[in-house]
Amino acid sequence: MQVPQQPKSFPPDSIARIVLESCQEAAAAGEVPAAAVICDPENWSVLAAERNRILELRDPTAHAELLCIRAACAAAESERLPPDLVLVSALEPCLMCSGAVVHARLSRVIFFTPTLKGPGLERILEQSRDGALLNHYPETRQWEAFQSEYRSLLREFFRERRSS
């Protein structure tokens, strides 16, 4: 089992803007505002970008992170992603998406806000390190600079949804 090194620097703010704009697109489509991108940290080029499409695709697995991983794997023509790629997500990956992160071998996951529903990636990694349950442990880091803006978007989405 390989223990991750200290997290590296954050991507440029332009990457966060892509994620936030995709979250707004998801909300406008009636989807929970969640989005993700997969980047190459060499030059921060975006290899894949997705938003939640659960309603659109009528697929409960159509979370932004999962769709993003699928698109990046298709572009790489491989079931595993090249080393060192980074997933940037608005929301900490859920249990399902965490499994995909591990199996895709993403090296780092950066998210704006932790998940409040069920175990998220950090908790899963923390609990499984003791028993060496996983064969891959990506680095995780919260990008707090965008947490407030994203949480406001989430709050507004759910406020509107409840009032409808």
Side-chain angles (χ1 to χ4, degrees):
M1 173 178 68
Q2 191 177 38
V3 177
Q5 302 296 314
Q6 284 288 74
K8 298 172 186 165
S9 65
F10 289 114
D13 287 359
S14 59
I15 298 297
R17 291 283 149 226
I18 293 169
V19 173
L20 289 166
E21 287 170 14
S22 294
C23 286
Q24 291 169 340
E25 290 172 15
E31 302 276 1
V32 171
V37 299
I38 293 180
C39 307
D40 181 344
E42 276 297 310
N43 56 12
W44 294 110
S45 60
V46 175
L47 301 163
E50 282 289 347
R51 63 171 177 80
N52 271 9
R53 296 181 187 276
I54 295 162
L55 301 173
E56 176 187 335
L57 300 176
R58 297 174 191 238
D59 178 356
T61 69
H63 290 200
E65 300 90 339
L66 209 54
L67 295 173
C68 201
I69 289 168
R70 288 176 184 159
C73 284
E77 297 181 343
S78 175
E79 72 283 0
R80 305 254 190 275
L81 293 172
D84 298 328
L85 295 184
V86 178
L87 174 76
V88 179
S89 181
L91 190 59
E92 178 184 7
C94 69
L95 180 61
M96 175 182 66
C97 294
S98 295
V101 163
V102 169
H103 287 291
R105 304 291 196 273
L106 281 158
S107 65
R108 278 193 287 161
V109 176
I110 298 170
F111 56 88
F112 301 158
T113 193
T115 187
L116 302 175
K117 300 252 182 182
L121 179 60
E122 286 195 324
R123 187 165 157 208
I124 292 164
L125 293 175
E126 179 184 308
Q127 290 180 345
S128 62
R129 273 200 178 93
D130 296 337
L133 299 174
L134 303 175
N135 59 0
H136 176 72
Y137 290 83
E139 297 176 23
T140 60
R141 191 166 187 192
Q142 186 177 348
W143 200 357
E144 293 175 347
F146 295 95
Q147 181 176 8
S148 177
E149 186 174 351
Y150 177 62
R151 281 192 173 171
S152 293
L153 180 64
L154 270 178
R155 271 193 298 275
E156 181 61 27
F157 174 80
F158 286 112
R159 184 180 354 227
E160 286 178 14
R161 198 173 192 183
R162 283 189 292 274
S163 68
S164 309

